[in-house]
Amino acid sequence: MGARDRATPPTEWCDWWTEVHQLTPDIAFGWVPEDLAATPDDPNPWFWHWCSQQNRWAGAATSKHTLVSREPLHLEPSLLWPCCGTHGFVRDGAWIPA
């Protein structure tokens, strides 16, 4: 079922990312290839989260965030998805709920 199936995370069906990582069962991130990036110098990853309000995986760019470290991943400030209220930090390669 792909994007509408919670049991099938983006790591299994998203084929336009490189280096796809699952932070939690409900949050994944990956690096957009340069030819698909919004701008050639955009270093930030894209995120997918399971949106409980929309009952699907939802994607989002992080171009307004600061990439502190790629490995392990660290972004500032926190990520917030207004659709469902999922909110947290990515620090030291881990998701930290806010």
Side-chain angles (χ1 to χ4, degrees):
M1 287 192 107
R4 296 210 178 267
D5 182 0
R6 187 176 190 176
T8 308
T11 53
E12 295 184 27
W13 50 261
C14 186
D15 60 1
W16 56 270
W17 282 355
T18 58
E19 301 178 47
V20 180
H21 303 277
Q22 201 75 29
L23 287 175
T24 73
D26 294 337
I27 299 171
F29 75 92
W31 302 94
V32 178
E34 287 181 22
D35 59 333
L36 295 177
T39 62
D41 59 346
D42 183 5
N44 289 2
W46 268 68
F47 277 80
W48 288 92
H49 79 286
W50 179 259
C51 179
S52 58
Q53 297 299 308
Q54 299 173 2
N55 199 32
R56 68 178 182 91
W57 288 99
T62 58
S63 59
K64 295 187 181 194
H65 290 74
T66 300
L67 180 65
V68 176
S69 170
R70 183 177 171 119
E71 185 63 38
L73 184 61
H74 182 153
L75 288 176
E76 291 294 339
S78 63
L79 297 169
L80 170 63
W81 287 283
C83 53
C84 60
T86 298
H87 184 206
F89 297 88
V90 179
R91 294 184 176 150
D92 200 25
W95 177 259
I96 303 164

